[in-house]
Amino acid sequence: MTALQEMGRRAKAAARELAAAGELRQKALFAMAGAVEDSKQEILSANRLDLDQAERDGMSAPLMDRLALSPDRVRGMADGIRSVAAQADPVGQVVSGFLRPNGLKIEKVRVPIGVIGMIYEARPNVTADAAALCLKAGNAVILRGGKEALRSNEAIAGAMRGALEACGLNPDCVQLVGDTSRASAVEMMRLTGYLDVLIPRGGQGLIRSVVENSRVPVIQTGAGNCHVYVDNSADVGMAAEIIFNAKTSRPSVCNAIETILVHREIAQRALPAIQKRLDEKHVELRGCERTRAILGDGVVPATEDDWAAEYLDYILAVRVVDSMDEAIRHIARYSTGHSEVIVTDSYENARRFTAAVDAAAVYVNASTRFTDGGEFGLGAEIGISTQKLHARGPMGAFELTSYKFIVTGSGQIR
Amino acid sequence: MTALQEMGRRAKAAARELAAAGELRQKALFAMAGAVEDSKQEILSANRLDLDQAERDGMSAPLMDRLALSPDRVRGMADGIRSVAAQADPVGQVVSGFLRPNGLKIEKVRVPIGVIGMIYEARPNVTADAAALCLKAGNAVILRGGKEALRSNEAIAGAMRGALEACGLNPDCVQLVGDTSRASAVEMMRLTGYLDVLIPRGGQGLIRSVVENSRVPVIQTGAGNCHVYVDNSADVGMAAEIIFNAKTSRPSVCNAIETILVHREIAQRALPAIQKRLDEKHVELRGCERTRAILGDGVVPATEDDWAAEYLDYILAVRVVDSMDEAIRHIARYSTGHSEVIVTDSYENARRFTAAVDAAAVYVNASTRFTDGGEFGLGAEIGISTQKLHARGPMGAFELTSYKFIVTGSGQIR
């Protein structure tokens, strides 16, 4: 038995205990939050070692920022665990139920999935969020973070495991993989029989590698080539604000937009207003011919690659379209199915756009930046699913459950 | 572009049309049922050719029976399509919805998955059932049946495609793969970008191969190592009837039982009664030492392999256990998570067993044979999921949908 198989075996045993521990699970979550706060010094010292190493390795400033913890961020982690603890328990919910003509009562009841595997990158807060959400839904979790954050993750996971034990729960409900080599990620992808699902969270390269190579069922998260379509009936000021917010409030995240599509009848008025707002943050525009005819040669000519790009940067592709249908076709071709917006004052167009566009979240007159577990009211999120099986969009504890049928009879045979 | 990729491209286009065609989908289903009935002669002639070939190839009698169609069976297929047509439309259902404090309205709305791939074996009725259920849920489907049934499947699919076209729907909503080589199955498993999900339906070998090799997300169906636990409080007559029904009414299906676990306090009374009933169908028993001490040396000694076996035959493994907890542990170890039964008159044991046993369906005092789409009131079923992601247990049209979030605002930014 390899080290990971042994972790899998222990996780399965822990998951079985956990499924039966209703009230104790809630109590343990509050204890975990307290333990993270109480271990602030240890966590910050471990994080300091990770940061020193990262600096020696020449890590970029944005990545350093993702890795860095502060007293505030540690408190934020603890508060996140508490907000998960305070939610309604998804386990045991009777989803539906009915009586068959033969007298059998069939109830569909929500149950934990079992053992969740997480493969993620630099941010140590994922360790706390993921453990809390998995535990909330009655699942054991095996966490494999990035090597850059290993010491921080060990300190956070250690605090949480201590709290579990103090509550009388099996600490193996939360296990951290110490081996952060590529080999350990590959082995997790082969850990069928132990892992019920694997959730990758991080950059596109990581996610694609897991989706293509895993034998364990995967929930795909993250990639967002998101669009705003500005309808000919749009309020130009509203369109400019939504685009400015969706592009610049945090360009590096998956719910930021990458391309805008502007109806030709409003382009002459809308494009200069949008450009003016985006100029405040020095956003580079890459436009189609008609865009450049309106905004001038300062706009870089867009190529086919621009329509498909997820820039995650202060760059925005711009295309003038003849109709909403052309916008819908563009989105069908290039969208990653994450978040799509129409800005419109037409009831009929709002109705048609939301029906025709196939994405996890389709917006009328609002920013894509709301596609987020917290903003959707889930407390925290374990990721944003861009696939259609099992869960789509922001995933909280509820999405980490399955169901079973409980059928009660009085001797029925068929 | 390969032939299968071209089918995938056409399926995607058809799926987009279909998602927008509400009422027409229902109309098309009734037309498909009519077309299957009207094509009875062609379907039966094609089936005759398949049967002649199968006979020349030395196919076994049970497989021949699965392959064979009759006027009654063709009518049964048409009626199956009609019962799917008559169900409520899952597409467009508002699953939940709420208003956020910032005024955003968020609705979770059921939508089709997109394009479903089916890989299945000899039974031609799967062609009709799968096409009807996929279409009901707004999905296009690519069907790859077994080579033994190719002519029958072509006749059935041809009739259904004709009906789609006559209704003004794209016939590529239902496509049948003509190449039944192993290579075409392998290519389907690699058809990411076209197929949203792949559902294998058939023997264990087929299912395992798809689960292990597919890059397209899979819904695992079928394998059933199902148990009946006879509690010390059980009504012995009821236990014998349930065991007899669950073992012998159709031993070759996944919801038949393979092992019984009998509490030691009732074994002396229950085992002879159970054996007597099973003797009527000449069921071979393979028992533990304590079973053989009660029933005699006529019972074959059971080995470790017997606890894990899915016999699909008139064979039943028998084990005497010291307690319900021992039965629960046995089930946790050997069950494939399909259907599990307790026969009991103890309220507390019924409650504990249904909570502790992790399977798609957990029964109190009823036969496992009810784990079936029709018996659960789904009309038809596309398979019985034994995995925990997305869908578990019998899957009908509802389980072939996903959801999206429609978020409507008035200019909200974050």
Side-chain angles (χ1 to χ4, degrees), chain B residues 316-351:
Chain B
L316 184 68
V318 187
R319 183 174 194 172
V320 173
V321 293
D322 284 329
S323 63
M324 183 172 81
D325 285 325
E326 192 186 333
I328 290 171
R329 279 194 302 272
H330 180 104
I331 291 169
R333 175 142 180 216
Y334 297 103
S335 166
T336 53
H338 191 297
S339 299
E340 305 296 344
V341 176
I342 181 173
V343 184
T344 189
D345 193 43
S346 156
Y347 171 85
E348 179 57 17
N349 284 1
R351 192 179 141 87

Side-chain angles (χ1 to χ4, degrees), chain B residues 156-238:
Chain B
I156 297 164
M160 293 191 295
R161 284 171 58 93
L164 285 167
E165 207 156 13
C167 291
L169 275 177
N170 190 331
D172 291 333
C173 294
V174 177
Q175 294 181 85
L176 182 76
V177 180
D179 171 6
T180 57
S181 67
R182 169 143 178 80
S184 77
V186 170
E187 197 188 338
M188 277 181 84
M189 298 179 209
R190 298 274 178 275
L191 220 56
T192 53
Y194 297 102
L195 294 183
D196 292 291
V197 60
L198 190 57
I199 304 177
R201 191 165 162 182
Q204 283 230 42
L206 168 71
I207 290 165
R208 191 173 311 125
S209 157
V210 172
V211 167
E212 283 180 6
N213 297 305
S214 182
R215 285 190 191 161
V216 176
V218 171
I219 299 182
Q220 187 169 355
T221 64
N225 184 11
C226 305
H227 303 75
V228 171
Y229 162 61
V230 182
D231 193 33
N232 52 348
S233 69
D235 176 309
V236 167
M238 186 195 286

Side-chain angles (χ1 to χ4, degrees), chain A residues 100 113 245 354 357 359-360 362-365 367 369 375 388 390 392 402-405 407 409 411-412 414, chain B residues 100 113 245 354 357 360 362-365 367 369 375 388 390 392 402-405 407 409 411-412 414:
Chain A
R100 294 289 301 159
I113 289 179
N245 179 261
T354 52
V357 170
V362 185
Y363 290 84
V364 180
N365 296 349
S367 168
R369 294 277 291 115
E375 296 294 329
K388 290 195 203 163
H390 187 72
R392 203 175 190 197
S402 178
Y403 56 82
K404 71 179 174 191
F405 292 97
V407 186
Q412 281 84 349
R414 182 183 168 196
Chain B
R100 295 289 299 159
I113 289 179
N245 178 261
T354 53
V357 170
V362 186
Y363 290 84
V364 181
N365 295 350
S367 168
R369 293 277 291 115
E375 296 294 329
K388 291 195 203 163
H390 187 72
R392 203 174 190 198
S402 178
Y403 56 81
K404 71 180 174 190
F405 292 98
V407 186
Q412 280 84 348
R414 182 183 167 195

Side-chain angles (χ1 to χ4, degrees), chain B residues 234-252:
Chain B
D235 176 309
V236 167
M238 186 195 286
E241 286 310 308
I242 287 172
I243 290 165
F244 179 77
N245 178 261
K247 178 73 255 179
T248 71
S249 67
R250 208 166 159 200
S252 65

Side-chain angles (χ1 to χ4, degrees), chain B residues 387-399:
Chain B
Q387 68 176 39
K388 291 195 203 163
L389 276 194
H390 187 72
R392 203 174 190 198
M395 294 187 292
F398 183 89
E399 284 71 26

Side-chain angles (χ1 to χ4, degrees), chain B residues 256-276:
Chain B
I257 60 166
E258 309 296 357
T259 296
I260 62 170
L261 305 163
V262 181
H263 194 288
R264 66 175 161 78
E265 288 171 11
I266 203 172
Q268 196 74 47
R269 265 199 309 134
L271 282 176
I274 293 164
Q275 184 184 38
K276 184 163 172 246

